[in-house]
Structure formats: structure tokens, C-alpha cells
Amino acid sequence: MSVNSRRQFLQRLGLSAAAFTLSPMIACNQQTKTKPNMIVVFCDDLGYGDLGVFGHPTIHTPNLDRMAAEGQKWTQFYVAASVCTPSRAALMTGRYPVRTGMCSDVRRVLFPDSAGGLPEDEITVATALKNEGYATACIGKWHLGHLPQYLPTNHGFDTYFGIPYSNDMDRVAGTNYREVCMNPSIEDFEVPLLRDTEVIERPANQHTITKRYTQEVIQFIRDHRQEPFFIYFAHSMPHVPLFRSDEFAGDSRRGIYGDVIQEIDWSVGQVLDTLRETDLDENTMVVFTSDNGPWLVFDQHGGSAGLLKDGKGTTFEGGMREPTIFWWPGKIKPGVVMDLGSTLDLFPTCCALAGADLPNDRIYDGWDLSPVLFEGQPSPRQAMFYYRGTKLYAVRKGAYKAHFITQSAYGNFKPEAHDPPLLYDLDEDPGETFNVADQHPDVMKEILELIAEHNANMTRGLDCLAERL
Ligand code: MG
């Protein structure tokens, strides 16, 4: 029997290919092991236009190209905030950051002197899956609180390996921020590398960080191949300062930024190859996306949002629409999905795949995307709310997006309120160039009704980001 026909045979029996090689003792616990594995690969500040498969002309991403060809490429997939901490909180909890308190109008993200973090009563996707018997690993950037009570090992992860916040933090006193970001040396950023809750290296050697994260992920897959697992693989890159391994220096025609992306692409290849080698590929869903758009103020060290407007820090499309790929050979219907999706949907989707009920004591902001992934049905997501800090700046419903407030990313740019709001048809005008508000008063009315409904169901969490140690 060939490998493929063996897999098909086992699938008909409801068994994974991995189970075929298990000992009888292990195989008796079959029900647990047939739950699918899940890996979320989460980049930092990757732009919508920075992958070959999303149209970049000089960044070579053969592994992501193949992943997209074998899986689903989502062209309208959103994060719930345009900066790190709130975006990550939304992925982890399936809830808008205003509900969890993981956003603020005082400080946009957590810093090394922050006293707060993801509240202990928030349920992460890792906790939900752990309750279903999953082995869980967080490898990479966390940025949901660096104090012990907020670390991944206190939020449902069995193990953690990574830099707990952004790689440009803990800057050596007296250095010029922009200068050390544009000409980086690891000695300029005294960021720690943690194993669970212990600092094992400081400053972290960021040159090898992508490679070492990848090795950790591969080892976890191999160590846990006989039980269901969930891996949150959150790259520290391509957030500035940019670092890559020696092997990738000069690898790209797009400078150091391209080198960094091509190392991430290599990493994806390593992970998918490991799944194939261990016969876990047909029982593992892998999602690739990023936390927010490109950091445009860093010139060539920042990425590109392609045809989308603006980048990180804004509620324009370039800040919050991410290049996203879902992969699960033999299970996901390959193709391009132009419907809406969000990292908010990963929590309910992962729970559904694991057979877990959503906790019923809180409001969730996501949908189970399984019908789109596996049956090619329309996405249940019809809308997206774009917050900056605690304020709602824009709302998308169907093809239309209304901006009530706009604000550029960084610097002293003031928020600009729009009354009447700006309205763009994102299907026709993804670059948000042509205001069509005059032509669609009916659409604006529908969006206002949607906001009223959203606000009626909103209980705001206390600001977890403002307090300093
Ligand atoms: Mg980021």
C-alpha cells in the first residue's frame, strides 16, 4: 500500500496517518489523538505586500507560495488592532481588546516597565485547547505581559521559549533610538530570552532568533507527535531592529528586510516539512499571518502594505489587513478566499476543530471559519470594527468601510474626525482613495445600526496597559 493510499485508507477509518505507527498501548487512546493539531505562525509587522504570493516583486517566498497553493490564501483577513499588544490579545482571546482591557489611550502597547498584562480571568485559545487534552507551546514574542503571572505558562501554555516583548525594547541608555534601529547591533537592545519563566540569555542573540524559534517548534512537533498539540509560533521579526542568520545575509534582492522575510519563509518550509516527515501533515492545520501592518516610518527597514493605504498604527487597510494563509492538506479546499476573516475567528475555529464548546460566560467576537475552510462556503464574518486604543475609528460592513476618525501612524499627527464619515467601497477601491459617502446613504445607515448593536453589547475592560511599575 502506498503512503497516499494508506493515508486514504486510514482516513476512511477516521484515523490519522500518525496513528498507524503507534504502539497498541498508545493507539488505545485513539479518540484523543485524532483531534487535529494546530499551529499559528504569527509574524510581527509584516506588510500585506511583503510576500511573493501576495505580489512582492523581489522577495522570494517559495515555501509560502507552496503553502498558499496547497491551502487557502485569504485576501481580506484582519487583525483587531494595528499594534502588537492589542492585536495579540485579540488572537489569544477571540475578543476585541476593548473587552479585555488590553488596549489603552495612554500607552499603545506594553513596555518593560508596564505593570499589567492579559488578565488572569481571560481564557486563551491555549487554555481552551489544553482543557481538551492538547499539549501547548508558545514559541516567540508574547507581548501580553512579562511579569510571571502574565506569561504564557500562566495562560494555558505548557511551555514558553521567546522574547517576551518587542525586540526594540530595553534599549541601552544613551543610544539614539532611530540610529540603533536602522543600524542594529544586539548589544543595543537588552531584551531577555525566556525559557518558561526564567531568563536564559540577555541580551538575546537576535541574529539567530528566527532559526532558534524554528528549531524549538520542530522539536515540539517531534516530541508531541503522539498527542494533539497547539503551537503559537510568534516570530519576533520583521519588527525593527531587523536581524537574520548569517546564512540569509544578502539572500534577498530587497535588502535586509527581504533577507528577514526569506528566513521566515525558510522557517515555514522547515515546519511544513517536519509535519510531512512525521506523517502529521494531514492532521494539522497551519495558519500564517501577522499582528499588524508594516512599520512605514522605518523606510527600507519597514515592509510594504502593497496596494493598501498606510501601515502599522493606523486604522487604514494597511494597518490591519494581513497576508494570511491556511494550510491543511487533504482537508482545506485549496483556493483564494476573498471573504472577510479575522484573527478574532481563530479562537472559535480552533475550539470547533478540537470539539470544545465556547465558554458561555463572556461575549466572543469571532466566528468558526470551518465552513469556508473545508466546504468552500461563504464566510460567516460580515463586518469588522477598527479600533485605535479604546476608540472606534472605522467600521467595515460587506464591501463598505466608513471612517469616523482617521489618524496617521506615528509622530504628532492629530486625529481628524469626519462628519459625515468617509465611505469607501473596498471591493472596488482597496486603496481607500475615492469617498463614495454621497452615493450610499443607505449603507451608512446600516453601518450606524451595526455600531449601535455593537455598543449595546459592549462591556469595556479596565485599562491593562497604562499602569507602570
Ligand atoms: Mg507588530
Side-chain angles (χ1 to χ4, degrees):
M1 192 181 280
S2 72
V3 170
N4 278 343
S5 56
R6 188 186 74 188
R7 281 188 183 144
Q8 285 161 4
F9 173 69
L10 290 167
Q11 274 179 344
R12 280 200 296 277
L13 295 177
L15 301 174
S16 72
F20 190 74
T21 58
L22 302 180
S23 70
M25 186 185 75
I26 295 167
C28 69
N29 193 19
Q30 195 58 59
Q31 192 175 1
T32 306
K33 273 187 297 299
T34 53
K35 288 177 187 271
N37 311 304
M38 299 166 220
I39 302 176
V40 176
V41 182
F42 207 45
C43 295
D44 195 354
D45 298 2
L46 177 69
Y48 187 80
D50 285 325
L51 306 179
V53 68
F54 276 81
H56 197 283
T58 55
I59 298 178
H60 188 47
T61 53
N63 293 294
L64 287 158
D65 299 356
R66 178 180 173 188
M67 182 181 177
E70 293 175 353
Q72 284 183 359
K73 168 180 150 179
W74 285 59
T75 62
Q76 306 210 61
F77 195 89
Y78 290 95
V79 289
S82 64
V83 289
C84 297
T85 297
S87 173
R88 287 152 199 273
L91 185 156
M92 271 297 129
T93 63
R95 288 148 55 75
Y96 278 111
V98 281
R99 296 193 199 280
T100 61
M102 290 298 284
C103 59
S104 169
D105 299 321
V106 180
R107 305 180 100 185
R108 299 193 73 183
V109 299
L110 291 165
F111 288 87
D113 67 348
S114 292
L118 185 65
E120 288 162 87
D121 58 359
E122 287 296 332
I123 300 167
T124 67
V125 60
T127 299
L129 295 178
K130 193 173 169 61
N131 290 341
E132 296 297 318
Y134 276 67
T136 54
C138 177
I139 293 161
K141 175 174 173 178
W142 177 239
H143 215 178
L144 297 177
H146 69 286
L147 299 179
Q149 64 271 33
Y150 302 122
L151 285 172
T153 45
N154 273 316
H155 270 301
F157 289 99
D158 298 330
T159 181
Y160 175 55
F161 177 83
I163 299 172
Y165 36 70
S166 296
N167 63 326
D168 65 336
M169 293 179 174
D170 292 329
R171 180 166 51 90
V172 172
T175 54
N176 177 284
Y177 178 62
R178 187 170 177 88
E179 205 167 284
V180 294
C181 281
M182 296 296 279
N183 299 287
S185 161
I186 55 169
E187 289 76 22
D188 295 327
F189 305 92
E190 293 183 329
V191 289
L193 178 66
L194 271 62
R195 167 86 60 196
D196 297 330
T197 58
E198 301 297 319
V199 176
I200 58 169
E201 188 178 296
R202 192 167 200 167
N205 182 351
Q206 297 197 46
H207 287 293
T208 56
I209 202 69
T210 297
K211 186 194 294 182
R212 286 189 288 167
Y213 286 169
T214 306
Q215 289 164 344
E216 290 283 327
V217 170
I218 289 170
Q219 194 59 50
F220 192 86
I221 293 170
R222 294 193 184 283
D223 290 348
H224 296 274
R225 58 178 295 187
Q226 294 177 341
E227 58 187 326
F229 58 77
F230 170 72
I231 304 174
Y232 175 53
F233 180 6
H235 284 286
S236 290
M237 299 289 141
H239 190 288
V240 297
L242 299 174
F243 293 95
R244 76 291 202 222
S245 307
D246 290 345
E247 297 91 315
F248 287 88
D251 192 55
S252 153
R253 292 166 63 179
R254 165 61 175 86
I256 188 171
Y257 186 88
D259 292 353
V260 166
I261 303 305
Q262 291 186 187
E263 187 166 15
I264 288 173
D265 179 75
W266 164 85
S267 168
V268 168
Q270 294 291 300
V271 172
L272 300 192
D273 282 349
T274 302
L275 293 171
R276 293 184 188 105
E277 287 163 17
T278 50
D279 270 348
L280 295 176
D281 53 332
E282 293 188 358
N283 197 37
T284 305
M285 182 175 78
V286 184
V287 186
F288 179 94
T289 188
S290 179
D291 68 332
N292 53 253
W295 208 353
L296 299 175
V297 295
F298 282 100
D299 304 344
Q300 293 99 317
H301 284 233
S304 165
L307 82 176
L308 304 180
K309 187 171 185 172
D310 220 309
K312 171 176 176 171
T314 77
T315 48
F316 291 109
E317 291 296 288
M320 295 176 62
R321 196 193 294 194
E322 296 303 322
T324 301
I325 302 167
F326 285 79
W327 182 87
W328 185 350
K331 179 81 172 171
I332 283 179
K333 274 187 178 306
V336 176
V337 174
M338 297 183 181
D339 285 359
L340 305 192
S342 169
T343 47
L344 289 163
D345 303 327
L346 295 180
F347 188 110
T349 303
C350 290
C351 284
L353 292 175
D357 294 328
L358 278 186
N360 58 12
D361 63 342
R362 60 200 68 203
I363 291 177
Y364 283 90
D365 294 302
W367 280 267
D368 173 12
L369 298 178
S370 300
V372 194
L373 296 168
F374 311 129
E375 296 158 32
Q377 292 185 18
S379 174
R381 175 170 291 281
Q382 298 295 317
M384 195 68 209
F385 295 86
Y386 302 66
Y387 281 89
R388 177 174 171 131
T390 68
K391 295 188 179 67
L392 185 63
Y393 271 39
V395 175
R396 176 171 186 174
K397 182 175 188 292
Y400 292 97
K401 177 178 177 183
H403 287 274
F404 299 88
I405 308 172
T406 54
Q407 188 171 5
S408 292
Y410 286 87
N412 295 317
F413 303 109
K414 295 243 178 341
E416 186 182 354
H418 301 280
D419 188 13
L422 308 174
L423 188 73
Y424 298 109
D425 178 342
L426 294 180
D427 282 354
E428 284 200 14
D429 176 25
E432 297 172 280
T433 306
F434 308 107
N435 181 13
V436 294
D438 287 351
Q439 299 160 39
H440 298 286
D442 52 327
V443 172
M444 192 58 75
K445 184 166 171 285
E446 286 177 21
I447 288 178
L448 291 173
E449 287 168 2
L450 191 63
I451 293 171
E453 186 186 324
H454 178 74
N455 289 339
N457 292 313
M458 179 56 67
T459 305
R460 289 172 176 257
L462 295 174
D463 187 334
C464 299
L465 272 51
E467 193 185 347
R468 297 177 192 233
L469 290 168

